[in-house]
Amino acid sequence: MAGNPSGIALSESAGALTVSDSSQRLLDGLDDEQRAAVSSRATTLCVCAGPGSGKTRVLTHRIAYRAAVGGLDPRFAVAVTFTRRAAVELSERLERLGLRDMPVVGTFHALSSRMIASWAEDERRKPPKILPNRAQMLRKVLRSGESIHKAAEELDWAAANNLGASGYQPAAAAAGRNPGFPLWRMAEIISDFGTEKRFLRVCDFNDLLRMAAERLEQDDNLADAYRWGHRHFFVDEFQDLTPAQFRLLRAQLGGRADLCAVGDPDQAIYGWNGADETLLADFASNFEDAQVLRLDTNYRSSAGVVAVSQAIRPSGQSARAAPQNLGDLPEDALSIRRLNDDDAERQAIVEAIQAERLPGEHWSAQAVLVRTKSLVDQTAEALSRAGIPAVAVAGESRWAEGPPPSGQEDAVCVSTMHAAKGREFAVVHVAGLEEGLMPHYLSMDGAALSEEKRLFYVALTRARRKLSLTWAANRSGARHGGRRPSRWLMDLSRTMEASTARRGKIPARIEAAPGAAAPRPRLSASPLNGRALNGERRDLALIRNLMEWRRRQANAARVPPQAVIGDADLHSVASQRPSTLSELELLTSLGEPRIRNFGSRILKIVSEHGGASEDEATRL
């Protein structure tokens, strides 16, 4: 049995190892699911942990618990995280648990660099030089007009999938890649870039994983020595592993499988950058005798936020709010606002941040999450103009590091949804929730669309007490004039209406900006603009009936027809065909009084014309 360098007391009784009181504290305060994961006897364990379920706590407590009962020596353990920030947090937590000796903790890239440098030192040679400026070298191999950014992204994807120049083109075609170059040309760029690196005797960060894996695979003596000193592996965010990282992990493990992996299939959002979500799903197939456990109690979020995020949870698994979080009713956790344009949306966000800030609460308790970098910049600028300190976080890499810039720690975090992963805030404002932005117009089908939904789920589950969601009916610089709300806002509106149906009232949390008029969506084949042209005739018949009903209603009330429902809203109803009062309020600027007075009749007219088409029902 392994020694016990952790310093946590053990005792022997009748030949059986028993854990003393000082070790029992590692299980105290854990729920049943967490306790099972920490104390599992399985050498190969996968923990599928939902948002706020305490995955880092489980990971650190399992390391300490196994050390306490003699299952591992921490000096021979390796804990892999995806950011340096996470590595620092994990190390600090282990220290607080009383470990005297610490595991090796770091990212895959940091561990690879350390391995390569150590081998070079043992062999009395210089370690490889890291390329200081990849963009500068890419300029040498690119032609005029070819994008450095696009080429760099595709180099990363190819490296993440263990692809060289010869294997790139068929793999990229099978994956539906569109790097902005012909695939044959991108293969040339990969080849030329590799030639340049070899000529200058440099490598980039992508090369580190490959080089480390190759040495372990090809040099048995070196691999045996490494594996003797690195016997137990703990990997966080397993759903984000790339094939290249998985190859390295396999090489590090050798024929053993002393591995604890923690991840969440619902938070797999880096497929665009080479991550392979199936590595988590296939864990039990890839590792013999593996045990798979789940953590589904969310200790981060209020019951309301859990209910809202559950409505669009990609896997359909049932999440639970922790008992102490059940005081907040679901309707208190969510507001959805339709704004006339992006300027009005930014102003609404400013006002919401000011209104939601509790007395004495830091600005950093709130965040604004958006889909694209351009929206990050625009929103952060708007907050700064309003006197609200804001820090922009626009990186979408899995390796985005560190806290906000010095001096801006107490600031509203304005971030892309990707960069917000792993963070949490009391209040989260999610903006730009329109078709074409969320989901993004480049990710409208297949695996890409599924990943967009997971990204939205990640954004929602960053919130502890409240979510504020907004969309703009018009957006400057948009690819199309009239915008429509994200399909997932429609899902949430139905959930909200169901939660208030028993009370017999309209969910007032869905709000329209005063006087905002919904644009008439253009009927075209574009996924951003409702149905295709073959539905236009059907819409015209519905429009005629709505106009006739509006005329009679206006005459009876002696008001202009526009006071009942405006032309733009009428066309929006005809093209989008809402089926619930929440959807009607989400899609129009009618507001609660007119929804209360006219909503049921409008929905009845829509229903008499067949409601939503089968295609629409599937898409929404």
Side-chain angles (χ1 to χ4, degrees):
M1 181 173 293
N4 178 38
S6 65
I8 300 176
L10 304 174
S11 62
E12 294 281 352
S13 175
L17 188 67
T18 59
V19 184
S20 68
D21 290 343
S22 61
S23 181
Q24 177 62 34
R25 66 183 173 81
L26 293 168
L27 301 178
D28 291 343
L30 302 179
D31 67 22
D32 291 342
E33 293 174 339
Q34 294 169 339
R35 183 184 292 256
V38 168
S39 62
S40 170
R41 293 179 177 270
T43 305
T44 310
L45 176 67
C46 177
V47 182
C48 292
S53 61
K55 68 179 181 65
T56 305
R57 188 181 193 196
V58 164
L59 196 64
T60 53
H61 279 242
R62 180 165 174 79
I63 293 171
Y65 185 83
R66 285 195 62 191
V69 298
L72 65 78
D73 184 331
R75 295 171 298 181
F76 300 146
V78 180
V80 187
T81 66
F82 271 85
T83 66
R84 287 195 299 270
R85 183 179 63 213
V88 170
E89 179 186 355
L90 192 146
S91 296
E92 290 174 347
R93 289 196 187 197
L94 287 173
E95 288 177 358
R96 289 197 294 269
L97 290 178
L99 286 183
R100 286 183 191 160
D101 296 297
M102 299 296 292
V104 176
V105 181
T107 66
F108 274 109
H109 287 78
L111 294 175
S112 297
S113 179
R114 176 174 173 172
M115 292 159 64
I116 292 168
S118 175
W119 295 332
E121 183 179 356
D122 292 344
E123 295 161 4
R124 297 184 179 180
R125 57 179 175 82
K126 292 183 178 180
K129 182 180 178 182
I130 301 296
L131 180 64
N133 190 328
R134 185 168 69 163
Q136 186 175 17
M137 181 175 286
L138 272 174
R139 289 190 185 95
K140 295 181 180 180
V141 302
L142 293 177
R143 298 170 183 169
S144 176
E146 292 180 336
S147 168
I148 292 177
H149 177 70
K150 295 271 189 187
E153 278 190 349
E154 207 63 7
L155 284 170
D156 289 342
W157 181 83
N161 285 279
N162 296 313
L163 297 171
S166 61
Y168 167 78
Q169 189 169 345
R177 300 292 293 183
N178 180 20
F181 312 93
L183 298 185
W184 63 264
R185 172 58 186 146
M186 190 62 224
E188 282 186 349
I189 294 170
I190 294 173
S191 177
D192 293 345
F193 186 65
T195 299
E196 282 289 321
K197 287 189 294 183
R198 288 190 294 274
F199 177 75
L200 295 175
R201 297 183 179 181
V202 296
C203 66
D204 63 12
F205 284 104
N206 288 327
D207 295 321
L208 295 175
L209 300 180
R210 174 186 54 79
M211 293 164 64
E214 285 178 351
R215 285 297 306 272
L216 291 171
E217 292 166 349
Q218 297 170 7
D219 189 331
D220 291 340
N221 291 331
L222 178 145
D224 288 343
Y226 176 83
R227 291 165 189 155
W228 183 88
H230 303 81
R231 307 174 191 175
H232 321 281
F233 282 79
F234 299 81
V235 183
D236 196 8
E237 305 287 9
F238 203 83
Q239 77 283 346
D240 290 338
L241 257 67
T242 67
Q245 291 166 335
F246 189 66
R247 175 191 179 187
L248 175 59
L249 178 63
R250 282 286 208 188
Q252 290 171 309
L253 289 169
R256 303 163 303 164
D258 192 328
L259 171 66
C260 174
V262 179
D264 182 5
D266 291 328
Q267 297 187 68
I269 59 172
Y270 291 110
W272 57 274
N273 204 22
D276 185 354
E277 61 178 297
T278 66
L279 294 174
L280 177 62
D282 296 340
F283 188 91
S285 301
N286 289 326
F287 297 99
E288 189 177 352
D289 297 326
Q291 181 183 24
V292 179
L293 300 175
R294 295 196 62 87
L295 305 179
D296 274 318
T297 302
N298 186 328
Y299 289 89
R300 171 190 301 155
S301 304
S302 68
V305 170
V306 171
V308 169
S309 58
Q310 182 70 20
I312 57 96
R313 188 174 187 180
S315 68
Q317 293 284 342
S318 179
R320 300 181 295 275
Q324 63 264 36
N325 296 352
L326 295 178
D328 295 326
L329 297 175
E331 57 265 34
D332 296 331
L334 174 67
S335 68
I336 300 177
R337 294 199 68 184
R338 170 194 174 279
L339 286 307
N340 190 47
D341 55 36
D342 43 344
D343 285 337
E345 182 185 45
R346 286 188 286 272
Q347 181 58 35
I349 292 170
V350 166
E351 294 170 358
I353 289 173
Q354 293 168 332
E356 290 297 334
R357 189 186 185 201
L358 299 179
E361 188 174 57
H362 289 165
W363 290 110
S364 57
Q366 299 192 54
V368 184
L369 306 185
V370 293
R371 179 63 179 83
T372 65
K373 180 182 183 302
S374 61
L375 289 183
V376 169
D377 296 336
Q378 295 165 12
T379 306
E381 183 180 347
L383 296 188
S384 296
R385 285 198 307 266
I388 297 175
V391 57
V393 182
E396 294 190 358
S397 168
R398 283 163 291 158
W399 306 290
E401 308 287 0
S406 178
Q408 297 190 45
E409 287 77 6
D410 186 19
V412 174
C413 176
V414 185
S415 171
T416 59
M417 298 176 186
H418 283 96
K421 189 168 179 292
R423 306 285 300 277
E424 63 178 80
F425 307 90
V427 180
V428 171
H429 309 263
V430 189
L433 291 176
E434 302 127 37
E435 290 287 298
L437 277 175
M438 190 75 254
H440 196 270
Y441 72 92
L442 294 177
S443 305
M444 282 293 197
D445 53 27
L449 180 60
S450 297
E451 187 162 304
E452 288 290 292
K453 188 173 187 180
R454 293 194 294 270
L455 182 59
F456 185 41
Y457 175 74
V458 166
L460 297 183
T461 54
R462 301 309 92 198
R464 291 197 296 269
R465 75 169 183 257
K466 184 167 183 179
L467 285 160
S468 174
L469 313 182
T470 56
W471 70 282
N474 293 279
R475 189 170 293 278
S476 57
R479 292 165 59 87
H480 300 273
R483 310 289 289 178
R484 58 187 298 270
S486 168
R487 63 196 69 191
W488 298 311
L489 278 186
M490 305 294 277
D491 291 340
L492 292 180
S493 72
R494 295 183 192 112
T495 299
M496 292 163 58
E497 180 154 358
S499 73
T500 56
R502 296 187 303 274
R503 301 173 179 83
K505 64 179 182 179
I506 304 301
R509 302 169 311 285
I510 299 182
E511 306 165 1
R520 178 183 181 181
R522 287 171 18 194
L523 298 173
S524 74
S526 166
L528 303 181
N529 291 297
R531 295 188 310 283
L533 283 169
N534 60 14
E536 186 170 5
R537 187 172 301 173
R538 183 166 171 255
D539 287 342
L540 292 176
L542 176 53
I543 288 171
R544 283 195 293 269
N545 278 18
L546 286 169
M547 291 181 71
E548 176 59 23
W549 165 81
R550 180 178 70 171
R551 183 188 63 79
R552 293 196 305 269
Q553 192 69 43
N555 287 343
R558 296 183 179 181
V559 296
Q562 295 284 343
V564 178
I565 181 172
D567 289 344
D569 284 339
L570 188 146
H571 284 290
S572 183
V573 169
S575 64
Q576 305 303 330
R577 295 177 179 256
S579 60
T580 68
L581 295 174
S582 290
E583 290 177 14
L584 180 62
E585 193 160 13
L586 185 64
L587 290 164
T588 68
S589 60
L590 291 175
E592 185 174 352
R594 283 191 290 176
I595 293 287
R596 188 188 308 113
N597 292 333
F598 307 133
S600 296
R601 181 55 187 160
I602 292 173
L603 294 180
K604 187 172 186 300
I605 295 171
V606 172
S607 177
E608 290 169 351
H609 279 258
S613 69
E614 182 177 346
D615 175 67
E616 284 179 292
T618 301
R619 177 168 50 77
L620 293 175

